[in-house]
Amino acid sequence: MKRAIFYHCAQLFFLILILLIGGCSKKENIASKTDEYIDQAEILNPLNLVVSAANKDLIELSWDKVNSSHFKPVSYAIYVDNKLVAKDLSITKYSLINLLGDTNYKIRVIASSQTGITQEQSIDARTVGGSTTNGSTYVEYKIHTQSRITGNNSIRLLEDGGHLICTFLQHEGGETNFKLIVYRTNNKGQIIWYRLIQDLNYYDLPPHVVLPSKQDEAFIIVKHDIYVIDQTNGKLKLEKPVSIDLSPNDYVSSVQFDASQNMIMGTGGGELLKVTTSDFKVVWKRKNSSVGISSIQLDNAQQIYYSLLDSEATKIKVQKTDRDGNVLATFEFDGKLPGDYERQYHMPILLKDKNDIFYLWGFDFYSYSLRYVKFDKNGNVKAKLGEYVNLKPAGAFFDNDNNIVVYGQQEGGGISTYGTINKYDSDLKLLSTLQYPNLEMHMFKNMTQNVDNSYNLFFYYIQTWSYENLNFIYIKTKSNGQL
């Protein structure tokens, strides 16, 4: 028995000894191995250089912050036409000044790591301005060769006869590759400056150019954001936009000033709100409708009126509120013409004269034909369209003689489409019609009038298999509206 126990203990001791010897050998093998660490190459991310603004003697550049994968400091240098103009920069925005107007420049930005690794990008840029020799009033707006101006727009006529224009710049490379562009023109339609604003999912929404009483400022309102811009040079007065508290998918669809120069806004989701122009605070907000609010007007008592954009409704609807946005009445108008079945209507244009008479303009969804209603502040109908008119209106305004100018798109024979201008008196009697069949097929997007009664026309050509011009067009007419 003792001999068996001794035998098992000897076996256990021998096994432990083997394990100890093997462990020591393994440690020696690990310690004797060479270091297998591989040094990764340093990488810099792309610059994504863009021209963010320009005028006749300035080009503003901006680019993404470049980081080193080894966390080394990175600085920037700028070359213009192969000449060094700035180095050791740490900023990601730079303005080239004292340039020549209407001139091309080749610009290169180089990002350099402390270790000497570089990343660079070159772009071609052009200043705007210059002068015309023939006094032409036809301008095709194009900022870059690889982009086009397109989409929804808002245009304001300025006191000097120029315009402040907000629309979208689409770059090649995708249907949603857009930036918001704001530019100012002189009275000949030439661009004085432009400013690009990074798109924040704006591209399918309507922008609004709003001119407060402070003459050197303009507000650009799109979605739920407000940008403050200097009219004279396009400089953003706030580095970031002010965001209004709206639902995530809601957006500002209409804006109007009240008597105190605060803003009354309507949204696509049916909210009405008052926002101060001093600090953009919301004074009050009302959820008055489940459908979009368009074209706000205020009567002499500061009561608020706006059309409701309900594509399912067979009645034309206008809502009236008190000055605090509380609903007082909802007016319903029948838009049917004699012999019509039930239709749906889009009535986004509301005008008001000094006597608190309202004029509502839009079209029938079925045939895209004109509809209008004239009514007083109590919703009593004074006049309405009684016959078919082949016109899909894009906008309307009171002219210098207090007649109403309505402009839009008219379908001609076959596939022909022309911009059309109808002029009505206050009783909505048609006074005149202007069309421009000598231009390629086109549709007006916006229009203003000068003090000499000439019109400023903004439009796109319609693309066909035989004609392609994707530019945004400006024409100034003669005083009689002719080209």
Side-chain angles (χ1 to χ4, degrees):
M1 182 72 173
K2 290 181 179 178
R3 185 176 294 176
I5 292 172
F6 175 80
Y7 177 76
H8 285 300
C9 288
Q11 280 185 323
L12 181 61
F13 174 77
F14 183 71
L15 179 61
I16 292 171
L17 183 62
I18 291 174
L19 290 173
L20 287 172
I21 294 171
C24 292
S25 300
K26 188 173 182 182
K27 285 181 180 178
E28 288 175 1
N29 290 339
I30 292 172
S32 63
K33 279 189 174 182
T34 59
D35 189 355
E36 295 181 354
Y37 173 75
I38 299 174
D39 187 13
Q40 299 292 329
E42 185 179 5
I43 299 174
L44 305 182
N45 60 276
L47 285 152
N48 295 322
L49 176 65
V50 297
V51 175
S52 52
N55 64 33
K56 66 180 181 179
D57 59 2
L58 174 143
I59 292 175
E60 181 186 274
L61 308 170
S62 60
W63 57 88
D64 292 345
K65 180 178 175 58
V66 175
N67 296 308
S68 162
S69 60
H70 287 187
F71 305 101
K72 302 295 184 182
V74 175
S75 62
Y76 310 97
I78 301 174
Y79 290 79
V80 177
D81 293 339
N82 293 321
K83 294 180 180 179
L84 178 65
V85 297
K87 65 178 182 177
D88 299 329
L89 300 174
S90 59
I91 55 178
T92 58
K93 182 178 288 187
Y94 191 86
S95 294
L96 303 169
I97 62 175
N98 298 325
L99 304 177
L100 299 176
D102 205 23
T103 302
N104 291 314
Y105 291 92
K106 191 167 189 64
I107 299 168
R108 180 162 51 111
V109 175
I110 302 176
S112 301
S113 168
Q114 191 179 52
T115 59
I117 302 298
T118 63
Q119 176 74 260
E120 68 178 70
Q121 185 179 349
S122 296
I123 58 172
D124 294 319
R126 185 179 183 85
T127 50
V128 296
S131 59
T132 57
T133 57
N134 58 4
S136 173
T137 53
Y138 177 98
V139 179
E140 296 187 7
Y141 294 122
K142 192 171 184 67
I143 301 299
H144 304 121
T145 56
Q146 302 300 316
S147 64
R148 66 188 180 102
I149 292 175
T150 186
N152 294 312
N153 66 72
S154 179
I155 297 176
R156 294 290 180 180
L157 179 66
L158 304 175
E159 289 185 355
D160 64 358
H163 289 84
L164 196 60
I165 302 171
C166 183
T167 182
F168 293 91
L169 190 75
Q170 181 182 18
H171 294 280
E172 288 187 356
E175 292 183 358
T176 60
N177 191 12
F178 290 81
K179 286 185 174 66
L180 195 68
I181 181 170
V182 186
Y183 59 100
R184 192 190 192 288
T185 67
N186 60 17
N187 60 7
K188 295 184 182 298
Q190 299 162 320
I191 296 178
I192 297 173
W193 55 256
Y194 70 82
R195 160 77 52 184
L196 294 186
I197 298 173
Q198 183 66 39
D199 176 50
L200 299 174
N201 296 319
Y202 295 146
Y203 66 93
D204 58 348
L205 296 174
H208 307 276
V209 175
V210 180
L211 303 180
S213 55
K214 199 171 180 180
Q215 292 297 315
D216 63 334
E217 283 187 351
F219 302 154
I220 307 300
I221 304 172
V222 59
K223 198 173 183 179
H224 46 60
D225 295 331
I226 303 176
Y227 296 87
V228 182
I229 200 164
D230 190 321
Q231 288 189 36
T232 59
N233 56 23
K235 183 177 180 180
L236 287 173
K237 294 196 169 184
L238 301 176
E239 198 63 32
K240 294 182 179 180
V242 178
S243 292
I244 308 165
D245 182 23
L246 297 177
S247 301
N249 295 323
D250 206 357
Y251 62 94
V252 175
S253 56
S254 53
V255 186
Q256 185 63 269
F257 287 113
D258 66 10
S260 301
Q261 280 293 294
N262 291 312
M263 291 182 287
I264 307 298
M265 297 182 179
T267 77
E271 288 193 322
L272 187 72
L273 57 157
K274 180 177 180 177
V275 177
T276 63
T277 52
S278 56
D279 53 11
F280 306 118
K281 299 295 185 183
V282 175
V283 179
W284 51 256
K285 182 164 59 172
R286 308 281 182 256
K287 178 68 173 177
N288 290 341
S289 171
S290 60
V291 298
I293 290 174
S294 178
S295 199
I296 297 169
Q297 296 289 345
L298 287 83
D299 67 16
N300 296 329
Q302 293 297 284
Q303 295 174 320
I304 304 165
Y305 302 73
Y306 49 84
S307 61
L308 296 177
L309 301 184
D310 186 356
S311 60
E312 302 298 322
T314 57
K315 296 288 186 181
I316 297 168
K317 295 181 181 180
V318 171
Q319 222 159 33
K320 173 183 177 179
T321 78
D322 64 18
R323 61 177 61 198
D324 293 319
N326 301 301
V327 176
L328 299 175
T330 299
F331 307 138
E332 292 191 351
F333 308 113
D334 184 0
K336 288 188 297 184
L337 300 178
D340 269 352
Y341 296 104
E342 293 291 346
R343 300 283 178 86
Q344 286 80 40
Y345 308 96
H346 184 70
M347 307 291 290
I349 308 162
L350 183 63
L351 303 178
K352 185 196 80 74
D353 66 21
K354 61 183 179 181
N355 298 315
D356 285 344
I357 300 297
F358 296 85
Y359 304 82
L360 183 64
W361 303 84
F363 58 87
D364 149 36
F365 269 123
Y366 177 76
S367 62
Y368 282 177
S369 60
L370 181 68
R371 294 293 187 276
Y372 62 67
V373 180
K374 174 183 177 181
F375 60 96
D376 65 19
K377 62 182 181 179
N378 296 313
N380 300 310
V381 175
K382 300 297 183 180
K384 59 171 284 190
L385 183 66
E387 59 184 357
Y388 180 84
V389 176
N390 180 15
L391 175 63
K392 178 185 175 183
F397 58 86
F398 287 103
D399 69 7
N400 300 329
D401 300 317
N402 286 321
N403 294 313
I404 301 173
V405 174
V406 181
Y407 60 92
Q409 176 182 348
Q410 179 168 326
E411 301 291 338
I415 61 171
S416 297
T417 299
Y418 301 112
T420 297
I421 303 171
N422 280 0
K423 184 187 294 187
Y424 298 83
D425 65 16
S426 59
D427 294 323
L428 298 183
K429 177 184 176 182
L430 180 63
L431 301 176
S432 64
T433 296
L434 281 170
Q435 288 184 323
Y436 304 94
N438 50 324
L439 295 174
E440 296 289 343
M441 292 196 307
H442 60 278
M443 52 184 173
F444 293 147
K445 299 295 288 185
N446 222 308
M447 177 177 159
T448 62
Q449 186 180 40
N450 302 303
V451 293
D452 64 354
N453 291 329
S454 61
Y455 294 134
N456 303 294
L457 311 177
F458 298 88
F459 63 92
Y460 296 107
Y461 289 117
I462 294 174
Q463 308 307 304
T464 70
W465 65 272
S466 62
Y467 187 79
E468 182 174 337
N469 183 342
L470 299 176
N471 294 334
F472 190 44
I473 311 299
Y474 164 77
I475 291 180
K476 182 179 179 180
T477 73
K478 298 176 182 177
S479 58
N480 59 3
Q482 299 297 323
L483 301 182

